[in-house]
Amino acid sequence: MASRRTVGRGSQIIFHGPRTASARSGGSIASNSTAHAVLARRLLFPHYPPSKPLPPLISLSNTHDPTEEGDKVHDTAALKALNDEIYDFLALAVRGFILPWWGKITPRDREFPQEVMRIVSHLIKELEARMLVADVPYLIANAIPTLVTQHYLDYRTAESKFFTSYATGLHPEQSDSLHYLFHSLQPHMAVSPEGEVDPNYVRQVIEHIMKACLPPEDWDAETERTIIREIVVKIVLEDAFPRLSQPWFLQKMALELLGSPAESAGPAAPISSTGWTLNALVILFLSAVQAVSGFAIAAIAGIQACLHVVAEVNNSPHYAKGTSMKVDLVTPVIDLVSEVLNARESATMTAILSLLQLVCGFFAPFLNRLIPYLFYSRMHPSMFTKAVSQGKK
C-alpha cells in the first residue's frame, strides 16, 4: 500500500508494510510467539520467554499414584491442562478487575498485576497443601451430608409449622412467606431471610484464610491484601453463588463431569419367521452357549476385579490419614438420600432404606475403607479442569 506526501516543492512516495507493529513500539515488529501467546502469559508473565513453561500452580501429588507409563503421561498432560485453565481464569480476573483502573493510574506499569499474581499463586499452593493433608473423604461423606440433611429437616419442620401458631409472631407482611419462618427458626448471621449473603461475612472468611496461608510480609501489605480480598468477594458473590444456586448450572456441571454418552449400537437384525429349521436350531444352540460362556467369563472377571479392589483397599495408605477410620461414612449419605426423597412418607421406601442400612452396617468396616480409596484413586485433574472451565463461562 502506498501514499503520496508532499515535501517542500516535490513529492515523495511512502510504502507502508503490513500493520503488525504498534505505533508505540517504535515500529518494531512483534514476533509470532508474542502475537499468539496466551492471555496469562501476556498479562501475568510478560518477561517469560515463549519456550519457557509457566510455573505449575497445582500438583495433586498425593491424590493419584499412576503405575503405568501411559497413566503418568496422561496425568502430566491433565495437570498441564488444569494449570492452563487456572492461569487463564486468573488472567481474566486480572483483566476484568485490576487493569481497568490500574491502567488509568499507571498505564505502563505492569509490576502490580504480577505481584498480585504472586500472592494468589502462594494462596493456591498453600490451600492445595492443606487440602492434601486434610481428611477430604470425611468432609464429603460425613460432614456435608449431615449438614444438608439437617437443612432438609429444618425446612420440613418450618413447612409443617407454617399454618400453626408458630407463624403468628412474625411481622404481618412476613407471615405469609415460608423462608421468613425458616430463618426465624434457624437464623444465620451470613444469610438474610431473602437468601442474600452478607458481603462482610465473606470478607471476614477470606481474611481468615489469607491470614492463615500468607507469609507475614504479604499479610502486612494491606493494600494488596485488600485488593485480592475484594476480587475474591466479587467473584464469589456475583459469579459463584448465583450460579451454584441455579439447578441448570449444577446439572450442567454433572453432565460435564459424566462426559458424552456412549454411542448406541445399531438396530438388531430382524428375526426370520420361516419356522424352526435345523439351521435355526443350531444357531439358537450356539447363541445360548455363547451367552452362557460370556456370562461366565464376565462373572469370573467381576470376581477377580472385586478381589483386586479388596486387596488394594486393605493396602491403601489413604485410609489411616485422618478421622475417616473413626467415623461412619455410609450412614450420613443414606440419611441424606432418605431425607431428600422424603422416604418417611412411604412405607416401601422406608423398608428399602432400612434394608440398605442393615446391609451397609454389616459391611461398614470395609465401606469406610472403600470410600477414601475411591476418592483418592478416582480423583483426576480433568475433573477440576472441567469445573474451572465452566466457572469461566
Side-chain angles (χ1 to χ4, degrees):
M1 179 179 179
S3 62
R4 185 178 296 274
R5 185 177 63 184
T6 301
V7 181
R9 295 182 179 181
S11 62
Q12 181 180 7
I13 298 177
I14 301 176
F15 291 90
H16 301 281
R19 299 184 178 181
T20 58
S22 173
R24 297 182 179 180
S25 62
S28 61
I29 300 176
S31 61
N32 293 332
S33 59
T34 305
H36 296 283
V38 296
L39 182 63
R41 188 178 292 271
R42 289 190 286 110
L43 291 182
L44 308 177
F45 302 95
H47 303 297
Y48 265 48
S51 59
K52 184 178 181 181
L54 299 180
L57 288 172
I58 301 293
S59 62
L60 297 177
S61 56
N62 296 338
T63 57
H64 188 65
D65 187 16
T67 56
E68 298 182 0
E69 190 66 26
D71 294 337
K72 294 181 180 179
V73 174
H74 182 66
D75 285 353
T76 302
L79 277 175
K80 184 180 182 303
L82 174 59
N83 283 284
D84 290 343
E85 286 290 342
I86 296 177
Y87 271 125
D88 193 28
F89 181 84
L90 296 176
L92 291 174
V94 169
R95 188 180 66 177
F97 302 125
I98 295 181
L99 293 184
W101 58 268
W102 182 254
K104 296 178 182 179
I105 299 175
T106 54
R108 298 186 179 182
D109 185 12
R110 300 297 181 185
E111 295 183 0
F112 180 70
Q114 299 174 32
E115 184 66 18
V116 172
M117 180 62 203
R118 184 187 66 81
I119 297 177
V120 174
S121 301
H122 184 86
L123 274 175
I124 293 176
K125 293 178 181 178
E126 183 66 22
L127 289 175
E128 182 203 5
R130 290 171 177 264
M131 184 195 72
L132 292 177
V133 299
D135 194 2
V136 184
Y138 167 78
L139 177 67
I140 296 177
N142 186 284
I144 293 179
T146 301
L147 290 176
V148 177
T149 303
Q150 187 62 42
H151 181 81
Y152 269 91
L153 287 172
D154 294 338
Y155 178 80
R156 291 206 167 96
T157 301
E159 192 177 26
S160 63
K161 296 179 178 180
F162 185 61
F163 296 103
T164 63
S165 59
Y166 285 94
T168 57
L170 297 176
H171 199 267
E173 60 267 14
Q174 300 175 356
S175 59
D176 58 345
S177 182
L178 180 60
H179 54 265
Y180 280 99
L181 178 59
F182 175 78
H183 185 75
S184 65
L185 295 176
Q186 293 291 343
H188 195 283
M189 65 178 68
V191 185
S192 66
E194 294 82 6
E196 298 178 357
V197 181
D198 187 8
N200 294 323
Y201 184 85
V202 181
R203 288 188 179 94
Q204 292 297 321
V205 172
I206 298 172
E207 283 276 352
H208 283 285
I209 294 175
M210 294 174 65
K211 186 176 181 179
C213 297
L214 289 179
E217 58 271 15
D218 291 330
W219 171 256
D220 294 337
E222 185 178 358
T223 303
E224 296 178 0
R225 188 179 76 235
T226 303
I227 291 174
I228 295 175
R229 182 196 66 194
E230 292 303 318
I231 291 175
V232 177
V233 170
K234 169 79 173 178
I235 294 175
V236 169
L237 290 182
E238 297 190 10
D239 296 332
F241 281 175
R243 290 192 177 188
L244 291 175
S245 61
Q246 297 296 326
W248 66 266
F249 183 77
L250 299 178
Q251 295 169 4
K252 186 177 181 181
M253 287 287 297
L255 292 176
E256 287 289 338
L257 294 177
L258 292 175
S260 58
E263 296 182 359
S264 59
I271 301 176
S272 176
S273 59
T274 57
W276 293 100
T277 62
L278 180 61
N279 292 336
L281 292 175
V282 171
I283 293 174
L284 179 63
F285 175 76
L286 294 178
S287 300
V289 171
Q290 182 181 7
V292 172
S293 61
F295 175 78
I297 293 174
I300 294 173
I303 293 174
Q304 292 178 347
C306 289
L307 294 177
H308 178 70
V309 169
V310 169
E312 285 192 348
V313 169
N314 292 329
N315 298 326
S316 176
H318 301 294
Y319 171 62
K321 193 168 83 168
T323 59
S324 299
M325 58 184 300
K326 304 175 184 178
V327 298
D328 186 9
L329 301 180
V330 181
T331 304
V333 179
I334 298 177
D335 292 340
L336 174 61
V337 174
S338 174
E339 193 61 37
V340 170
L341 299 179
N342 201 10
R344 293 176 298 177
E345 302 295 332
S346 173
T348 304
M349 289 296 299
T350 303
I352 293 175
L353 289 174
S354 299
L355 179 61
L356 182 61
Q357 285 180 342
L358 183 63
V359 174
C360 291
F362 181 77
F363 293 101
F366 174 74
L367 293 177
N368 289 335
R369 294 193 297 267
L370 177 64
I371 292 176
Y373 167 78
L374 291 177
F375 175 79
Y376 288 111
S377 62
R378 302 301 179 184
M379 188 175 65
H380 196 266
S382 59
M383 300 173 59
F384 301 97
T385 304
K386 294 178 181 179
V388 176
S389 178
Q390 289 295 324
K392 295 189 306 181
K393 298 179 181 179

